[in-house]
DNA sequence: TAATGTGTATTATATGATTAATACACATTA
DNA sequence: TAATGTGTATTAATCATATAATACACATTA
C-alpha cells in the first residue's frame, strides 16, 4: 500500500486510480480479496465513507465485486482488466499530446526530452519481477 | 480567447495556465497589453474577482506587470518567458513519465503510442504561422 | 466637470464537493 | 448469545472556491 495522497484532488478519485494501476499492473490479481472499507480507511488515515465511496464506484465500473457481506474482490473479468490498462495508457498519451500541442513543442523534441528525462531517473517503482 | 473551463479545477488556476501557454507560444508578446480584469471576466463569464485573483498571482510570478492604473501587460523579461515555456514542457514530460511508469509500460511502447496517436489527430491548434 | 474605465481591496454570502458521524442488517465466530 | 467484522445507507458538518456587493484612488476623456 503505497499511495501518496495529495489534497488537490478528491481522495476517493485517487484511491480509484491507485486500484486501477494495481489492477493494470497485475499486482492485484483477478479474484483477489482486497482490504475492507474500514481496513483501507485505517491504512490510509481516511474516513471509511471515503473508502466506501471509492469501492462503490469501482463496483459500478465492474473493477471489483462483492458477494454478501464478504470482503470485496478484484474482478475476474480479464476483459475489464485489459480495458483498465488501455484506458490508463490512453489517458497518459492523450494528456501528454494535448500538453505538448498547447505550447507548440514539436513532437520529436518532446519525445527526446522524455527519453532524456527517463534515463536521468530510471524506474523508481519496480517491485514486480 | 479560446479557453474551455472545466469545473474540476479552480477557475483562476485555469486562467493562469492559459496565459502561460499563450506566453510560452508567443501568442501573447512581451509588453503586449492584455484584457482588463473586468473585460476578461465578461469574455469568460466569470466573476471579476476571479479574474483579479488570476492576474494578481501572475503579477506576483512576474508574468505580467502593471503601471499605475493602466491595463496590465505581458512581461518584457525574456528570461521569465523562457522559464515558463520550460516549466510547461517539463511538467508535461514528468507527468507522462510518472503515468507510464505507474503502470509498467515500457518506454518504447509508450512512445510508439504517442507517435501513433499524434498522427491520428495531428495539430489541432496551429494558428500562429 | 462629470462620466467612464483602469487597478485594487475588503467583507460577506453561496455553492458544491468532500468528509465526518452514525446507524442498520447480516453473517461469522468465540 | 454476545461480540466482531462485513457491506450499506442516511444525514450533518466542513471546507475551498467562487461569486456578490461595495468601495476607493487615479487617469482619461467626452
Amino acid at each position: 500500500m503505497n499511495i501518496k495522497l495529495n489534497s488537490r484532488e478528491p481522495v476517493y478519485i485517487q484511491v480509484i486510480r491507485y486500484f486501477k494501476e494495481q489492477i493494470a499492473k497485475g499486482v492485484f490479481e483477478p479474484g483477489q480479496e482486497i482490504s475492507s472499507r474500514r481496513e483501507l480507511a485505517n491504512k490510509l488515515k481516511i474516513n471509511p465513507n471515503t473508502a466506501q465511496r471509492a469501492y462503490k464506484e469501482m463496483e459500478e465500473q465492474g473493477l471489483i465485486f462483492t458477494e454478501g457481506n464478504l470482503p470485496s474482490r478484484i474482478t475476474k473479468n480479464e476483459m475489464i482488466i485489459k480495458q483498465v490498462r488501455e484506458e490508463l495508457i490512453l489517458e497518459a498519451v492523450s494528456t501528454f499530446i494535448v500538453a505538448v500541442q498547447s505550447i507548440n513543442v514539436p513532437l520529436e523534441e518532446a519525445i527526446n526530452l522524455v527519453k532524456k528525462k527517463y534515463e536521468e531517473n530510471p524506474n523508481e517503482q519496480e517491485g514486480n519481477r
Side-chain angles (χ1 to χ4, degrees), chain A:
Chain A
M1 196 65 54
N2 186 23
I3 320 184
K4 287 174 190 167
L5 297 174
N6 70 70
S7 58
R8 271 235 61 86
E9 209 179 358
V11 172
Y12 75 94
I13 298 284
Q14 299 179 57
V15 170
I16 292 174
R17 182 169 50 244
Y18 174 78
F19 271 82
K20 282 186 176 177
E21 287 171 1
Q22 302 309 306
I23 292 172
K25 278 200 283 194
V27 175
F28 288 173
E29 296 178 358
Q32 179 181 332
E33 191 172 288
I34 61 179
S35 301
S36 77
R37 278 79 167 157
R38 292 172 177 85
E39 194 179 349
L40 181 73
N42 254 325
K43 284 183 190 168
L44 304 186
K45 309 298 177 196
I46 62 177
N47 192 280
N49 291 326
T50 305
Q52 159 66 0
R53 179 159 183 186
Y55 277 26
K56 189 180 180 186
E57 285 215 13
M58 288 196 286
E59 182 129 27
E60 285 168 358
Q61 293 176 30
L63 302 176
I64 64 176
F65 66 96
T66 313
E67 289 169 339
N69 47 2
L70 295 175
S72 301
R73 296 174 174 278
I74 301 295
T75 182
K76 294 175 181 170
N77 187 331
E78 299 281 1
M79 188 71 85
I80 290 181
I81 294 175
K82 190 181 171 193
Q83 284 172 358
V84 167
R85 182 179 165 83
E86 285 172 357
E87 174 200 324
L88 292 180
I89 295 176
L90 184 62
E91 185 183 305
V93 167
S94 296
T95 301
F96 181 65
I97 289 179
V98 167
V100 158
Q101 287 184 336
S102 72
I103 43 180
N104 282 4
V105 175
L107 185 62
E108 278 308 321
E109 187 184 334
I111 289 179
N112 285 336
L113 287 169
V114 169
K115 287 179 181 169
K116 186 180 166 195
K117 180 88 179 169
Y118 191 86
E119 285 163 7
E120 283 173 14
N121 44 323
N123 298 28
E124 259 116 30
Q125 58 279 47
E126 294 275 342
N128 55 343
R129 285 195 175 157

